[in-house]
Amino acid sequence: MKRILVQLDSDPHPSVFDQVVAYDSGAEQILSYGAVTAQNCTPLVHGAMFTRGPGDLKSTAIFIGGSKAADGEAILNQVKETLFSPLKVSVMLDSNGCNTTASAAVHCAARHVALKGVEAVVLGGTGPVGLRAAQILAAEGAKVRLASRQLPKAEAACSQIRQLVPGATISAAESGDDGLAATLDGAELIIAAGAAGVQFLTAEEWTAIDSLKVIIDLNAVPPLGLGGVELTDKATEREGVICYGALGVGGLKMKIHRKAVEQLFESNSQILDTFEIHKLGESLA
Amino acid sequence: MKRILVQLDSDPHPSVFDQVVAYDSGAEQILSYGAVTAQNCTPLVHGAMFTRGPGDLKSTAIFIGGSKAADGEAILNQVKETLFSPLKVSVMLDSNGCNTTASAAVHCAARHVALKGVEAVVLGGTGPVGLRAAQILAAEGAKVRLASRQLPKAEAACSQIRQLVPGATISAAESGDDGLAATLDGAELIIAAGAAGVQFLTAEEWTAIDSLKVIIDLNAVPPLGLGGVELTDKATEREGVICYGALGVGGLKMKIHRKAVEQLFESNSQILDTFEIHKLGESLA
Amino acid sequence: MKRILVQLDSDPHPSVFDQVVAYDSGAEQILSYGAVTAQNCTPLVHGAMFTRGPGDLKSTAIFIGGSKAADGEAILNQVKETLFSPLKVSVMLDSNGCNTTASAAVHCAARHVALKGVEAVVLGGTGPVGLRAAQILAAEGAKVRLASRQLPKAEAACSQIRQLVPGATISAAESGDDGLAATLDGAELIIAAGAAGVQFLTAEEWTAIDSLKVIIDLNAVPPLGLGGVELTDKATEREGVICYGALGVGGLKMKIHRKAVEQLFESNSQILDTFEIHKLGESLA
């Protein structure tokens, strides 16, 4: 029985990236769908559920992707509502690589600092990757400052994370010029997860933070989010600070992505979202 | 040479169900197309015809599906007009499972009653499955009453069947409250093939029919079409009547569906529509 | 690592023909995209580039197709702009079979006449196939008359070819009734590549050309472009002239198409457009 992956992608053209990675991870056939929404995905999920016996359903799985993480989350919610025992298939969400990238960034940081109690700043913390990085850091016991240019959005993101991570130590912070100095004061770890083209800090700015130990810039398109960091930095020491660029994190991100797809086919009732994907990265980091 | 199935589906998102079943039936690659119409399918059929030599064309086949059987029929007609010898490929129509479900239902009935001369009522007889069940029953020599809430639609369906089955014993009947008693009088077999949510008969109503031997309810979503029947009923005796629910018929439906796809690849000039699909189910029933 | 072909097709429904040929040429999985434009293809190309290491990228390739060659060219230009070393994948353009058909026609002609210095007329020379046939002939040293009913369009096509083939001997010519006699005067080779339904010459007209040695009619739908030629003519002598019909050229076209797809997977930085595809046909002709 072939391992079949049903790709539910919110974009008109479903991701080539996700398909190639899935084939390289052992999927034998991908049924690829674009323009998928929470409204139109139910018959596709039924088709995955009602075709094989419960004992064979681990060979069918669903991958949710697309450039917009919020759309992916809405699809995931609908998929979860549609599945019922024993006719379940495993599901993974990784819209725009949000879960695998956030997990890889945090695993990279953990090589150099103990996450429990670390003073962590996530710049671009309301975007799909930043929010998930903050969520994972909070779950690992870090003291997280989730920063955005718009404080109300940062506060909303913090509320969302507090629901997912009871007891989280997390606060909203400003990344605009006015509040930036306070946001960075005492930071040991900075993860920059902003949109392409947004530079948060110059090299002068971050080298001036005495407490800083590790910085990770997830922007892959120049200008990068943190001046002086190179795309290929991978635990590169600059001015006494450990630096990672997007490509330096990318190798681990790909390993996590591949392992997650492999794991989908090991049983038929997994939901691989942020925490589950981060956990399976532990043995790879 | 790989066994390639070209899926022509009238819905925007081509069926996951049909693809999984096809892979499980030995198709090696599916070229999957949604939003297919009789108007736009010709180049797709040409692509299937003009790429392999006549001796190899049995390894290419066409599957027509989608939620609307009438659209599938229009596509099938266009496909048949487009194919010519010796550059033919085999074709199967099973929009919304209409042919495989109708065939499975009739094969289930035939385990318990002789179809020739049996007094059969098809409720929801103008829908895709009901019409095909009535057509098969008529061809097997049953005395068929094709029932609908709208008598003129039932009469149109009977005319259509008489053209396909010369000498058919079939009459239109009412399933609304006024005519229902007459429709059911003397019935030995009832197949209910209505839309989801339509209950035709309560348990009290069908248990009151003394002549009744077998009832089959093809509705898979509660409330079922025949009160007292369970989804999983499979030759279950209730009040002296043999009962089948949708899941009870579903196993045979899947076997017929799989065998039909397998058979597509045995030669290059088959058209697998209602009768052909019913015939190949004989050895499975 | 599976050989993955990314099909970028400008039509809403990507070509079945191109997919079947690609599978028969050793592609192991096709990621098939329709409605692709120069504007929306970049993320798809990025997905092909950023998923495998440089040493493995020869197992990923891009095929550009669709019914409109100009759209395919625009996509090819965008793909070339997007690729960068070492993250390249090989690319083939064959919208509507334009390159493989033109190449096959010229290779057929070369079996019977020396192309260098031959007096060649291309009827329908401004269409995708005719223009490419003229381009290849010019590159092989033929004296080419590129004919169209609209002389300004023929002149524009000649200008385009002179840029691609420095030192080309090519001139625009009329295929309408007024200029046709002059266009054909002294012709040794005629390739007819017009639209379906356009007959350029009757049998009487071309048999009256004393200098004529070879005629090739690429129209596959009757009425053919050159009266008296049969679809299946393959080096058939008629009135002392070697004749080819569309099916007579088609076998070589298919061989070239298949070999081009095979070659895509031999290294990761090929661009297979008109000249490259013609060159790889040499060993097959």
Side-chain angles (χ1 to χ4, degrees), chain C residues 151-222:
Chain C
L151 197 59
K153 289 184 70 176
E155 283 167 348
C158 288
S159 296
Q160 194 180 330
I161 289 174
R162 283 189 202 101
Q163 292 196 312
L164 294 165
V165 185
T169 304
I170 188 164
S171 58
E174 284 188 58
S175 61
D177 291 342
D178 284 353
L180 191 56
T183 295
L184 299 172
D185 184 46
E188 296 170 292
L189 165 65
I190 297 175
I191 295 177
V198 176
Q199 187 174 55
F200 291 106
L201 301 175
T202 63
E204 290 67 33
E205 287 173 318
W206 63 259
T207 53
I209 307 170
D210 287 343
S211 52
L212 200 57
K213 293 173 181 165
V214 179
I215 59 177
I216 297 174
D217 188 347
L218 297 174
N219 188 356
V221 182

Side-chain angles (χ1 to χ4, degrees), chain C residues 121-147:
Chain C
V121 175
V122 180
L123 299 169
T126 60
V129 175
L131 190 142
R132 283 166 177 79
Q135 177 185 331
I136 296 169
L137 285 168
E140 297 282 342
K143 295 175 189 165
V144 183
R145 304 171 206 174
L146 187 157

Side-chain angles (χ1 to χ4, degrees), chain A residues 89-121:
Chain A
V89 297
S90 287
V91 186
M92 170 178 177
L93 169 70
D94 200 32
S95 296
N96 216 16
C98 59
N99 279 325
T100 51
T101 303
S103 169
V106 176
H107 279 304
C108 285
R111 292 169 181 163
H112 309 284
V113 293
L115 296 180
K116 192 168 175 62
V118 73
E119 293 286 346
V121 175

Side-chain angles (χ1 to χ4, degrees), chain C residues 57-244:
Chain C
L57 278 179
K58 69 177 182 184
S59 295
T60 307
I62 292 175
F63 180 95
I64 300 169
S67 58
K68 295 191 179 165
D71 293 348
E73 285 173 353
I75 294 169
L76 176 59
N77 285 335
Q78 181 59 31
V79 169
K80 287 198 275 192
E81 276 191 31
T82 305
L83 296 171
F84 56 79
S85 284
L87 299 180
K88 289 191 168 180
V89 297
S90 287
V91 186
M92 171 178 176
L93 169 69
D94 199 33
S95 296
N96 217 15
C98 59
N99 280 324
T100 50
T101 304
S103 168
V106 176
H107 279 304
C108 285
R111 292 170 181 163
H112 308 286
V113 293
L115 296 179
K116 192 167 175 62
V118 74
E119 293 286 346
V121 175
V122 180
L123 299 169
T126 60
V129 175
L131 190 142
R132 283 166 177 79
Q135 177 185 331
I136 296 169
L137 285 168
E140 297 282 342
K143 295 175 189 165
V144 183
R145 304 171 206 174
L146 187 157
S148 169
R149 280 160 196 260
Q150 296 169 272
L151 197 59
K153 289 184 70 176
E155 283 167 348
C158 288
S159 296
Q160 194 180 330
I161 289 174
R162 283 189 202 101
Q163 292 196 312
L164 294 165
V165 185
T169 304
I170 188 164
S171 58
E174 284 188 58
S175 61
D177 291 342
D178 284 353
L180 191 56
T183 295
L184 299 172
D185 184 46
E188 296 170 292
L189 165 65
I190 297 175
I191 295 177
V198 176
Q199 187 174 55
F200 291 106
L201 301 175
T202 63
E204 290 67 33
E205 287 173 318
W206 63 259
T207 53
I209 307 170
D210 287 343
S211 52
L212 200 57
K213 293 173 181 165
V214 179
I215 59 177
I216 297 174
D217 188 347
L218 297 174
N219 188 356
V221 182
L224 301 194
L226 303 174
V229 176
E230 300 278 338
L231 258 181
T232 54
D233 278 359
K234 187 174 174 180
T236 307
E237 196 173 322
R238 297 183 185 277
E239 310 289 328
V241 174
I242 301 291
C243 299
Y244 281 85

Side-chain angles (χ1 to χ4, degrees), chain C residues 3 21-22 24-27 58 61 92 254-267 270 272 280 284:
Chain C
R3 288 185 297 281
V21 175
D24 287 348
S25 307
K58 69 177 182 184
M92 171 178 176
M254 289 297 281
K255 282 185 195 168
I256 293 173
H257 190 152
R258 288 200 188 102
K259 185 168 178 193
V261 175
E262 281 172 26
Q263 190 172 312
L264 280 175
F265 295 107
E266 289 174 6
S267 65
Q270 303 168 69
L272 301 186
L280 65 82
L284 304 169

Side-chain angles (χ1 to χ4, degrees), chain A residues 56-231:
Chain A
D56 293 321
L57 278 178
K58 69 178 182 184
S59 295
T60 306
I62 291 174
F63 179 95
I64 299 170
S67 58
K68 295 190 180 167
D71 292 348
E73 285 172 354
I75 294 169
L76 176 59
N77 285 335
Q78 181 58 30
V79 170
K80 288 198 275 192
E81 277 191 30
T82 305
L83 296 170
F84 56 79
S85 282
L87 299 180
K88 288 190 169 181
V89 297
S90 287
V91 186
M92 170 178 177
L93 169 70
D94 200 32
S95 296
N96 216 16
C98 59
N99 279 325
T100 51
T101 303
S103 169
V106 176
H107 279 304
C108 285
R111 292 169 181 163
H112 309 284
V113 293
L115 296 180
K116 192 168 175 62
V118 73
E119 293 286 346
V121 175
V122 180
L123 300 169
T126 60
V129 175
L131 190 143
R132 283 165 177 78
Q135 177 186 331
I136 296 168
L137 286 168
E140 298 282 341
K143 296 176 188 163
V144 184
R145 306 171 204 174
L146 187 156
S148 168
R149 280 161 197 260
Q150 296 169 272
L151 198 58
K153 287 183 70 176
E155 282 165 350
C158 288
S159 295
Q160 192 179 332
I161 289 173
R162 282 189 203 101
Q163 292 196 310
L164 294 164
V165 185
T169 305
I170 188 164
S171 58
E174 284 188 59
S175 61
D177 291 342
D178 285 353
L180 191 55
T183 294
L184 299 172
D185 184 46
E188 296 170 291
L189 165 66
I190 298 176
I191 295 179
V198 176
Q199 187 173 56
F200 291 105
L201 301 175
T202 63
E204 290 68 34
E205 289 173 316
W206 63 258
T207 52
I209 307 170
D210 287 342
S211 52
L212 200 57
K213 294 174 180 164
V214 179
I215 60 177
I216 297 175
D217 188 347
L218 297 173
N219 187 356
V221 183
L224 300 195
L226 302 174
V229 176
E230 300 279 336
L231 258 180

Side-chain angles (χ1 to χ4, degrees), chain B residues 178-200:
Chain B
D178 285 352
L180 191 55
T183 295
L184 300 171
D185 184 47
E188 296 170 292
L189 164 66
I190 297 175
I191 295 178
V198 176
Q199 187 172 55
F200 291 104

Side-chain angles (χ1 to χ4, degrees), chain C residues 31-54:
Chain C
L31 315 188
S32 181
Y33 292 88
V36 175
T37 66
Q39 285 70 48
N40 68 22
C41 69
T42 303
L44 304 176
V45 180
H46 281 158
M49 296 166 67
F50 296 148
T51 36
R52 291 171 160 180

